[in-house]
mmCIF file of all heavy atoms in Angstrom:
data_model
loop_
_atom_site.group_PDB
_atom_site.id
_atom_site.type_symbol
_atom_site.label_atom_id
_atom_site.label_comp_id
_atom_site.label_asym_id
_atom_site.label_seq_id
_atom_site.Cartn_x
_atom_site.Cartn_y
_atom_site.Cartn_z
ATOM 1 N N SER D 2116 -19.258 -36.091 -36.044
ATOM 2 C CA SER D 2116 -19.653 -36.556 -37.374
ATOM 3 C C SER D 2116 -18.619 -37.566 -37.834
ATOM 4 O O SER D 2116 -17.415 -37.376 -37.648
ATOM 5 C CB SER D 2116 -19.732 -35.384 -38.359
ATOM 6 O OG SER D 2116 -19.977 -35.838 -39.667
ATOM 7 N N SER D 2117 -19.073 -38.648 -38.469
ATOM 8 C CA SER D 2117 -18.171 -39.745 -38.806
ATOM 9 C C SER D 2117 -17.077 -39.339 -39.780
ATOM 10 O O SER D 2117 -15.968 -39.841 -39.727
ATOM 11 C CB SER D 2117 -18.970 -40.912 -39.388
ATOM 12 O OG SER D 2117 -19.703 -40.478 -40.530
ATOM 13 N N GLY D 2118 -17.352 -38.409 -40.676
ATOM 14 C CA GLY D 2118 -16.350 -38.078 -41.680
ATOM 15 C C GLY D 2118 -15.618 -36.787 -41.414
ATOM 16 O O GLY D 2118 -14.849 -36.334 -42.260
ATOM 17 N N GLU D 2119 -15.841 -36.169 -40.236
ATOM 18 C CA GLU D 2119 -15.231 -34.862 -39.964
ATOM 19 C C GLU D 2119 -13.760 -35.013 -39.607
ATOM 20 O O GLU D 2119 -13.359 -35.936 -38.896
ATOM 21 C CB GLU D 2119 -15.975 -34.157 -38.822
ATOM 22 C CG GLU D 2119 -15.526 -32.718 -38.621
ATOM 23 C CD GLU D 2119 -16.414 -32.011 -37.610
ATOM 24 O OE1 GLU D 2119 -17.487 -32.563 -37.296
ATOM 25 O OE2 GLU D 2119 -16.035 -30.942 -37.147
ATOM 26 N N LYS D 2120 -12.950 -34.075 -40.092
ATOM 27 C CA LYS D 2120 -11.511 -34.111 -39.851
ATOM 28 C C LYS D 2120 -11.206 -33.688 -38.403
ATOM 29 O O LYS D 2120 -11.846 -32.800 -37.862
ATOM 30 C CB LYS D 2120 -10.823 -33.164 -40.835
ATOM 31 C CG LYS D 2120 -9.324 -33.378 -40.952
ATOM 32 C CD LYS D 2120 -8.763 -32.500 -42.058
ATOM 33 C CE LYS D 2120 -7.271 -32.734 -42.227
ATOM 34 N NZ LYS D 2120 -6.709 -31.881 -43.275
ATOM 35 N N VAL D 2121 -10.227 -34.311 -37.779
ATOM 36 C CA VAL D 2121 -9.851 -33.976 -36.405
ATOM 37 C C VAL D 2121 -9.205 -32.596 -36.371
ATOM 38 O O VAL D 2121 -8.310 -32.301 -37.166
ATOM 39 C CB VAL D 2121 -8.886 -35.032 -35.830
ATOM 40 C CG1 VAL D 2121 -8.421 -34.629 -34.448
ATOM 41 C CG2 VAL D 2121 -9.564 -36.388 -35.791
ATOM 42 N N ASN D 2122 -9.657 -31.780 -35.455
ATOM 43 C CA ASN D 2122 -9.136 -30.421 -35.298
ATOM 44 C C ASN D 2122 -7.950 -30.445 -34.331
ATOM 45 O O ASN D 2122 -8.107 -30.845 -33.172
ATOM 46 C CB ASN D 2122 -10.258 -29.522 -34.765
ATOM 47 C CG ASN D 2122 -9.829 -28.062 -34.700
ATOM 48 O OD1 ASN D 2122 -8.662 -27.737 -34.849
ATOM 49 N ND2 ASN D 2122 -10.794 -27.203 -34.463
ATOM 50 N N PRO D 2123 -6.733 -30.022 -34.752
ATOM 51 C CA PRO D 2123 -5.578 -30.029 -33.832
ATOM 52 C C PRO D 2123 -5.822 -29.190 -32.582
ATOM 53 O O PRO D 2123 -5.335 -29.535 -31.499
ATOM 54 C CB PRO D 2123 -4.440 -29.442 -34.689
ATOM 55 C CG PRO D 2123 -4.878 -29.666 -36.105
ATOM 56 C CD PRO D 2123 -6.363 -29.572 -36.109
ATOM 57 N N ALA D 2124 -6.570 -28.088 -32.729
ATOM 58 C CA ALA D 2124 -6.842 -27.240 -31.567
ATOM 59 C C ALA D 2124 -7.658 -28.000 -30.531
ATOM 60 O O ALA D 2124 -7.507 -27.796 -29.323
ATOM 61 C CB ALA D 2124 -7.563 -25.972 -32.000
ATOM 62 N N ALA D 2125 -8.547 -28.885 -31.004
ATOM 63 C CA ALA D 2125 -9.365 -29.663 -30.071
ATOM 64 C C ALA D 2125 -8.490 -30.585 -29.227
ATOM 65 O O ALA D 2125 -8.765 -30.806 -28.038
ATOM 66 C CB ALA D 2125 -10.408 -30.475 -30.850
ATOM 67 N N PHE D 2126 -7.420 -31.114 -29.816
ATOM 68 C CA PHE D 2126 -6.522 -31.991 -29.059
ATOM 69 C C PHE D 2126 -5.812 -31.198 -27.956
ATOM 70 O O PHE D 2126 -5.647 -31.691 -26.839
ATOM 71 C CB PHE D 2126 -5.499 -32.634 -29.990
ATOM 72 C CG PHE D 2126 -4.568 -33.578 -29.274
ATOM 73 C CD1 PHE D 2126 -4.968 -34.879 -28.997
ATOM 74 C CD2 PHE D 2126 -3.315 -33.168 -28.857
ATOM 75 C CE1 PHE D 2126 -4.132 -35.748 -28.322
ATOM 76 C CE2 PHE D 2126 -2.474 -34.029 -28.181
ATOM 77 C CZ PHE D 2126 -2.880 -35.331 -27.912
ATOM 78 N N VAL D 2127 -5.390 -29.972 -28.261
ATOM 79 C CA VAL D 2127 -4.733 -29.145 -27.241
ATOM 80 C C VAL D 2127 -5.715 -28.823 -26.120
ATOM 81 O O VAL D 2127 -5.373 -28.875 -24.935
ATOM 82 C CB VAL D 2127 -4.179 -27.847 -27.864
ATOM 83 C CG1 VAL D 2127 -3.508 -26.991 -26.800
ATOM 84 C CG2 VAL D 2127 -3.204 -28.167 -28.989
ATOM 85 N N ALA D 2128 -6.957 -28.477 -26.502
ATOM 86 C CA ALA D 2128 -7.973 -28.181 -25.491
ATOM 87 C C ALA D 2128 -8.251 -29.417 -24.633
ATOM 88 O O ALA D 2128 -8.431 -29.316 -23.409
ATOM 89 C CB ALA D 2128 -9.252 -27.685 -26.157
ATOM 90 N N PHE D 2129 -8.292 -30.597 -25.279
ATOM 91 C CA PHE D 2129 -8.485 -31.840 -24.541
ATOM 92 C C PHE D 2129 -7.355 -32.055 -23.537
ATOM 93 O O PHE D 2129 -7.588 -32.438 -22.380
ATOM 94 C CB PHE D 2129 -8.563 -33.016 -25.520
ATOM 95 C CG PHE D 2129 -8.522 -34.363 -24.852
ATOM 96 C CD1 PHE D 2129 -9.641 -34.872 -24.221
ATOM 97 C CD2 PHE D 2129 -7.344 -35.102 -24.829
ATOM 98 C CE1 PHE D 2129 -9.600 -36.120 -23.591
ATOM 99 C CE2 PHE D 2129 -7.295 -36.339 -24.201
ATOM 100 C CZ PHE D 2129 -8.426 -36.839 -23.578
ATOM 101 N N HIS D 2130 -6.127 -31.811 -23.969
ATOM 102 C CA HIS D 2130 -4.968 -31.975 -23.091
ATOM 103 C C HIS D 2130 -5.070 -31.025 -21.890
ATOM 104 O O HIS D 2130 -4.815 -31.429 -20.738
ATOM 105 C CB HIS D 2130 -3.685 -31.706 -23.879
ATOM 106 C CG HIS D 2130 -2.455 -31.625 -23.029
ATOM 107 N ND1 HIS D 2130 -1.920 -32.718 -22.377
ATOM 108 C CD2 HIS D 2130 -1.657 -30.568 -22.708
ATOM 109 C CE1 HIS D 2130 -0.854 -32.340 -21.693
ATOM 110 N NE2 HIS D 2130 -0.668 -31.044 -21.884
ATOM 111 N N MET D 2131 -5.455 -29.762 -22.135
ATOM 112 C CA MET D 2131 -5.561 -28.796 -21.042
ATOM 113 C C MET D 2131 -6.708 -29.154 -20.101
ATOM 114 O O MET D 2131 -6.594 -28.999 -18.876
ATOM 115 C CB MET D 2131 -5.753 -27.395 -21.600
ATOM 116 C CG MET D 2131 -4.514 -26.806 -22.268
ATOM 117 S SD MET D 2131 -3.077 -26.760 -21.162
ATOM 118 C CE MET D 2131 -3.700 -25.765 -19.810
ATOM 119 N N MET D 2132 -7.828 -29.631 -20.652
ATOM 120 C CA MET D 2132 -8.931 -30.045 -19.787
ATOM 121 C C MET D 2132 -8.529 -31.243 -18.936
ATOM 122 O O MET D 2132 -8.994 -31.384 -17.788
ATOM 123 C CB MET D 2132 -10.166 -30.367 -20.624
ATOM 124 C CG MET D 2132 -10.878 -29.136 -21.188
ATOM 125 S SD MET D 2132 -12.492 -29.508 -21.917
ATOM 126 C CE MET D 2132 -13.459 -29.930 -20.472
ATOM 127 N N THR D 2133 -7.656 -32.080 -19.471
ATOM 128 C CA THR D 2133 -7.143 -33.212 -18.683
ATOM 129 C C THR D 2133 -6.302 -32.696 -17.517
ATOM 130 O O THR D 2133 -6.386 -33.209 -16.391
ATOM 131 C CB THR D 2133 -6.305 -34.147 -19.573
ATOM 132 O OG1 THR D 2133 -7.101 -34.587 -20.676
ATOM 133 C CG2 THR D 2133 -5.811 -35.346 -18.784
ATOM 134 N N ARG D 2134 -5.496 -31.667 -17.769
ATOM 135 C CA ARG D 2134 -4.688 -31.068 -16.695
ATOM 136 C C ARG D 2134 -5.570 -30.437 -15.623
ATOM 137 O O ARG D 2134 -5.289 -30.544 -14.424
ATOM 138 C CB ARG D 2134 -3.727 -30.029 -17.277
ATOM 139 C CG ARG D 2134 -2.538 -30.631 -18.025
ATOM 140 C CD ARG D 2134 -1.624 -29.555 -18.577
ATOM 141 N NE ARG D 2134 -1.126 -28.661 -17.531
ATOM 142 C CZ ARG D 2134 -0.394 -27.574 -17.768
ATOM 143 N NH1 ARG D 2134 -0.065 -27.261 -19.020
ATOM 144 N NH2 ARG D 2134 0.020 -26.818 -16.776
#
Side-chain angles (χ1 to χ4, degrees):
S2116 174
S2117 57
E2119 188 173 346
K2120 196 174 182 181
V2121 176
N2122 185 349
F2126 182 82
V2127 180
F2129 170 77
H2130 170 69
M2131 289 303 302
M2132 286 191 69
T2133 303
R2134 286 180 57 186

